[in-house]
Amino acid sequence: MNKVFFTKYTEQNLKLPFVLYSLGLNHRQEYINRPSGLPFFQWIQAIKGSGVLEIDTKQYVVEEGSGMLFFPNVGHKYYGVSKEWIVHFMCFTGYGTKDLFENIGIKQSGIYKLTDIEKVEQYMEELFFIYSLDSRMEMYDFSRVLYEILLEIVKSTSLLNEKSLLNQNKKVHLVMDYINEHFKEPIMLSELAKMAGLSKEYLCQLFKKMNGFSIFDYITDVRLAHAKILLINDRNEKIKNISRWCGYEDVSYFGMVFKKKEGMTPAKFRELH
């Protein structure tokens, strides 16, 4: 069940070392674009599904078990790429927050991997329970539990930004290598996504962002490159056989794709070369 609340804070509350602004549990995350960020810290924890974070002109995948930490006034954009992206989130501030992050060496926004997800989720549930009590002392209890959450995040996180980017590059190259080796066979997007450990939607986005062309364009280019070699080197071979050897069971479809890409039929290409 989606649970969201915003706290009633005062000038007195802002003197606390850790101050909670808002909390959301099991929130179905929508598309967010904040060019200037927000004036406080944010922690957004992926519970189900996956999304994409765009920050500092770079793009990263946010998977279950990881979270996005945003420092105040840092521009960012994030959105789901799976059918459903469910997150917990909290917005917070306080002089203790900045000191805690600085002392531990956390100096930038980014994606962080949790090693004890359940413990952090339990603390966030406790925050909601405190809110439900509607106590006059709730801000002090919020501060106490928020401190426990931040300690847990600090203890169990590792920054994923550069590692994640390198890992994404490896996944795209893995897919490209597979296409180069298996172009003669039927290639399903679902199989490529499973092999890369990504959703179909995110794999397509990532592949095009890194290469400038789509997965389907790449499959076609690889197949036609091999077809052109065979057309030139095996002049007596039937075009329908070359079509089949390059992953096209339907020779008519092969001819249509070839002409669209090369501006001529396979037979004409062979004649000119």
Side-chain angles (χ1 to χ4, degrees), residues 3 5 20 22-25 43 45 47 88-90 114 116-132 138 141-156:
K3 305 174 184 177
F5 72 79
L20 182 69
S22 63
L23 177 80
L25 302 178
W43 172 255
Q45 184 173 326
I47 302 301
H88 291 346
F89 70 83
M90 60 181 187
L114 286 173
D116 196 342
I117 304 167
E118 291 184 2
K119 195 167 186 179
V120 175
E121 288 185 13
Q122 288 171 3
Y123 280 131
M124 295 181 85
E125 289 281 359
E126 185 176 350
L127 286 175
F128 192 86
F129 176 72
I130 293 169
Y131 172 76
S132 69
E138 66 179 14
D141 289 327
F142 285 152
S143 186
R144 172 183 57 81
V145 178
L146 177 56
Y147 175 61
E148 295 293 342
I149 292 175
L150 297 182
L151 276 182
E152 197 60 40
I153 291 173
V154 164
K155 285 191 299 182
S156 66

Side-chain angles (χ1 to χ4, degrees), residues 54-96:
E54 294 185 15
I55 189 169
D56 294 331
T57 71
K58 295 180 181 178
Q59 189 178 65
Y60 308 99
V61 63
V62 188
E63 300 172 320
E64 292 179 24
S66 59
M68 298 179 287
L69 176 65
F70 297 125
F71 277 59
N73 306 311
V74 174
H76 55 265
K77 180 193 298 185
Y78 54 90
Y79 47 89
V81 292
S82 57
K83 184 176 181 180
E84 189 176 49
W85 192 26
I86 305 299
V87 304
H88 291 346
F89 70 83
M90 60 181 187
C91 300
F92 53 96
T93 188
Y95 65 86

Side-chain angles (χ1 to χ4, degrees), residues 15-248:
K15 294 179 181 179
L16 292 170
F18 304 97
V19 181
L20 182 69
Y21 277 154
S22 63
L23 177 80
L25 302 178
N26 299 312
H27 177 69
R28 187 168 187 170
Q29 187 58 61
E30 68 277 20
Y31 175 92
I32 294 292
N33 183 15
R34 297 190 180 105
S36 301
L38 291 176
F40 34 71
F41 290 92
Q42 301 171 74
W43 172 255
I44 302 168
Q45 184 173 326
I47 302 301
K48 179 182 177 183
S50 58
V52 170
L53 166 65
E54 294 185 15
I55 189 169
D56 294 331
T57 71
K58 295 180 181 178
Q59 189 178 65
Y60 308 99
V61 63
V62 188
E63 300 172 320
E64 292 179 24
S66 59
M68 298 179 287
L69 176 65
F70 297 125
F71 277 59
N73 306 311
V74 174
H76 55 265
K77 180 193 298 185
Y78 54 90
Y79 47 89
V81 292
S82 57
K83 184 176 181 180
E84 189 176 49
W85 192 26
I86 305 299
V87 304
H88 291 346
F89 70 83
M90 60 181 187
C91 300
F92 53 96
T93 188
Y95 65 86
T97 302
K98 185 178 179 181
D99 290 344
L100 178 63
F101 286 150
E102 285 184 352
N103 290 336
I104 206 66
I106 296 179
K107 300 178 180 179
Q108 61 179 311
S109 302
I111 304 173
Y112 290 79
K113 181 71 175 178
L114 286 173
T115 56
D116 196 342
I117 304 167
E118 291 184 2
K119 195 167 186 179
V120 175
E121 288 185 13
Q122 288 171 3
Y123 280 131
M124 295 181 85
E125 289 281 359
E126 185 176 350
L127 286 175
F128 192 86
F129 176 72
I130 293 169
Y131 172 76
S132 69
L133 297 177
D134 196 23
S135 167
R136 288 182 299 174
M137 304 295 289
E138 66 179 14
M139 291 304 297
Y140 297 95
D141 289 327
F142 285 152
S143 186
R144 172 183 57 81
V145 178
L146 177 56
Y147 175 61
E148 295 293 342
I149 292 175
L150 297 182
L151 276 182
E152 197 60 40
I153 291 173
V154 164
K155 285 191 299 182
S156 66
T157 57
S158 57
L159 185 61
L160 293 180
N161 282 2
E162 295 305 321
K163 183 179 178 182
S164 178
L165 183 61
L166 179 61
N167 188 43
Q168 290 174 27
N169 274 306
K170 286 182 178 179
K171 289 181 177 182
V172 168
H173 286 296
L174 178 67
V175 168
M176 295 176 77
D177 289 343
Y178 180 88
I179 292 170
N180 283 320
E181 293 175 10
H182 298 271
F183 68 91
K184 298 178 182 179
E185 308 163 14
I187 298 176
M188 305 297 293
L189 179 60
S190 57
E191 293 176 357
L192 297 177
K194 184 177 181 180
M195 179 178 60
L198 302 171
S199 69
K200 292 185 291 185
E201 296 84 358
Y202 183 65
L203 175 59
C204 288
Q205 290 182 18
L206 186 62
F207 192 99
K208 188 164 187 177
K209 184 176 182 65
M210 290 188 172
N211 292 308
F213 46 81
S214 73
I215 287 180
F216 304 105
D217 285 338
Y218 185 69
I219 293 172
T220 298
D221 289 345
V222 169
R223 285 173 168 168
L224 293 189
H226 284 275
K228 286 187 282 186
I229 292 171
L230 292 173
L231 286 168
I232 294 171
N233 293 341
D234 298 325
R235 292 188 172 275
N236 295 324
E237 191 59 64
K238 293 181 179 179
I239 289 177
K240 68 177 182 180
N241 290 336
I242 292 175
S243 169
R244 188 170 63 254
W245 294 340
C246 293
Y248 295 100

